[in-house]
Amino acid sequence: EKGWIDEKRFLHALNYCMLLPGPEAQQLATYIGWLLHGTRGGLVAGTLFVLPGFVSILVLSILYALYQDLAIVQALFFGLKAAVLAVVLEAVLRIGRRALKNAAAVTIAALAFVGLFFLAIPFPLIILTAGLIGLLGGRLWPDLFDVLRHGGTEPATAIADSAQAGARPSRSHTARVLAVWLAVWWVPVGLLVWAIGNEHVLSREALFFSKVSMVTFGGAYAVLAYIAQQAVETYQWLGPGEMLDGLGMAETTPGPLIQVVQFVGFMGAYRNPEFFSPMTAGVLGSIIVTWVTFVPCFLWIFLGAPYIEHLRGNRLLSSALSAITAAVVGVILNLAVWFALHVMFARVETERVLGMRLLVPDFATLDVASLLITAGALFALLRLRWGMLLTLALAAAAGLVYDLLLRR
């Protein structure tokens, strides 16, 4: 629409961002801004891509913390959670249709799901292994693993083929970018830990989400599978249902879906404020988590973009991306199953069988209303082709009607 970039250049940038840890949508915006106007363009594009969502989620997080216990709020989020599950399931199908082009891709996706859901293999190891399989497969069986097809070029774009040719990679440029952006990222974290100690919830959030920025690959839905399980099960900053509430906020507000991490940071700090007031701790948690989630994106782009521009057309990169994208389908399926169990059942137990981790629901606690709203939302998205915002709004209304007419 804007004529800034042709499809082939766009997909090349997307390939690189998909291989990076962290939120690829914001990284892609930063990359295109960098192509257009260098570092200043990248800063403007990356920052403004996030800012509206930050303000929206902060306001909604405050309202949620203050009024969560109101019956009407609980009723609205009851329907919204079921619809968000439908959105995630629709994402599995949508991405699966694009990524799983052959038996090799299907096998990688299935193994990724089994490794995460049953064997609890660390998420970064799943993605790293998939990338290595793609590199090896691209070298030995290129036609089988290079399943991503690039589109043609458009005749007139604002970014010429030689754009940013002056930003050739060099040791001095790499050293400057590393020094500046590592300081921007880690100096505030270090000062925070020094001031309040590494056991405070704000320090834990800063360190945890900094780690997430380095080890999570494959886009927002894939990242959320790891964040949800860690935030809910390991740190216990919020419950499974509340994680879905936050995802509903992020789905219905401007900005990237990954902005849900801000809600996680707010609620975790709000409930464990220690020497801060709950609201002050929550706002600080929002700011800190947003900072350590998105600042590293500027580092990865400004550091790697000059190099990646010189690797356009590299077939092995495309093969690695194909394998990682296939694994991401399995990762998102893991997220969908995990959410489904916690939305549909009031009680889910974790058991160990033959070395495997099994999540076993108590079928006596099945919530039929959640099941029906999820099914209706899936029908609206897949068959009626309704928009996501309309589907979420109607599901929230259905939750409210159910609460008013049947629960009371």
Side-chain angles (χ1 to χ4, degrees):
E1 182 180 338
K2 300 293 184 182
W4 288 341
I5 189 170
D6 62 52
E7 186 177 355
K8 199 168 185 178
R9 195 73 171 268
F10 176 86
L11 287 171
H12 178 76
L14 178 61
N15 284 359
Y16 173 57
C17 295
M18 282 290 288
L19 291 170
L20 291 174
E24 93 287 351
Q26 194 253 2
Q27 291 163 351
L28 184 59
T30 304
Y31 196 119
I32 294 174
W34 174 82
L35 280 174
L36 284 165
H37 296 292
T39 300
R40 289 181 298 174
L43 284 170
V44 169
T47 302
L48 295 182
F49 189 80
V50 172
L51 191 58
F54 171 79
V55 174
S56 301
I57 296 294
L58 180 59
V59 171
L60 289 174
S61 297
I62 293 172
L63 293 175
Y64 185 89
L66 293 176
Y67 303 110
Q68 176 188 6
D69 293 332
L70 290 181
I72 188 171
V73 174
Q74 293 179 350
L76 288 170
F77 274 102
F78 174 81
L80 194 60
K81 281 185 287 193
V84 166
L85 172 58
V87 171
V88 177
L89 290 170
E90 190 265 345
V92 175
L93 298 174
R94 173 167 40 87
I95 297 173
R97 283 193 295 265
R98 295 179 180 177
L100 307 183
K101 300 291 188 181
N102 54 38
V106 172
T107 301
I108 292 172
L111 291 175
F113 173 76
V114 170
L116 277 171
F117 191 80
F118 293 107
L119 303 179
I121 295 174
F123 173 81
L125 184 59
I126 295 282
I127 297 300
L128 177 62
T129 302
L132 292 175
I133 291 173
L135 286 174
L136 180 62
R139 186 175 296 277
L140 298 178
W141 308 284
D143 292 336
L144 187 63
F145 279 82
D146 187 14
V147 300
L148 296 183
R149 294 289 180 257
H150 289 192
T153 59
E154 298 173 8
T157 60
I159 300 177
D161 191 59
S162 58
Q164 294 302 332
R168 291 185 178 276
S170 66
R171 292 180 180 177
S172 59
H173 171 267
T174 299
R176 285 196 304 271
V177 170
L178 278 172
V180 170
W181 286 99
L182 284 176
V184 172
W185 177 3
W186 283 105
V187 167
V189 174
L191 291 174
L192 177 72
V193 173
W194 174 78
I196 63 178
N198 59 7
E199 293 301 316
H200 194 281
V201 65
L202 294 176
S203 297
R204 290 192 172 202
E205 289 179 347
L207 295 172
F208 169 71
F209 284 101
S210 290
K211 181 178 75 172
V212 167
S213 298
M214 293 185 284
V215 301
T216 49
F217 303 83
Y221 284 110
V223 172
L224 287 174
Y226 175 65
I227 292 173
Q229 289 174 331
Q230 292 295 310
V232 172
E233 297 174 3
T234 302
Y235 294 101
Q236 298 180 342
W237 287 330
L238 69 177
E242 291 175 326
M243 185 69 195
L244 278 165
D245 291 342
L247 191 57
M249 290 182 191
E251 292 277 23
T252 53
T253 52
L257 177 62
I258 195 61
Q259 197 71 48
V260 67
V261 299
Q262 178 187 345
F263 173 76
V264 175
F266 182 96
M267 295 305 297
Y270 181 85
R271 291 190 172 135
N272 304 277
E274 296 190 25
F275 41 83
F276 295 104
S277 70
M279 192 57 65
T280 299
V283 173
L284 288 174
S286 281
I287 294 171
I288 290 164
V289 169
T290 301
W291 184 266
V292 300
T293 297
F294 292 104
V295 165
C297 297
F298 294 107
L299 169 62
W300 310 139
I301 297 302
F302 296 147
L303 181 67
Y307 293 92
I308 211 70
E309 278 299 299
H310 288 275
L311 290 174
R312 279 190 292 142
N314 188 298
R315 194 168 186 178
L316 288 181
L317 266 182
S318 180
S319 297
L321 176 66
S322 298
I324 288 175
T325 305
V328 164
V329 176
V331 172
I332 301 172
L333 180 59
N334 170 68
L335 174 71
V337 173
W338 188 85
F339 273 164
L341 290 173
H342 288 92
V343 168
M344 300 298 176
F345 300 93
R347 186 180 304 110
V348 180
E349 302 292 339
T350 301
E351 298 182 3
R352 292 281 178 181
V353 179
L354 299 176
M356 295 190 299
R357 181 192 65 178
L358 299 180
L359 296 179
V360 182
D362 180 353
F363 284 91
T365 65
L366 174 65
D367 192 324
V368 177
S370 289
L371 178 62
L372 292 176
I373 293 175
T374 299
L378 269 176
F379 183 78
L381 289 169
L382 298 177
R383 298 291 297 175
L384 302 180
R385 305 291 183 184
W386 288 358
M388 183 177 64
L389 291 180
L390 175 60
T391 301
L392 292 172
L394 291 176
L400 183 60
V401 170
Y402 168 73
D403 184 78
L404 292 174
L405 299 182
L406 301 177
R407 271 189 171 181
R408 298 181 183 180

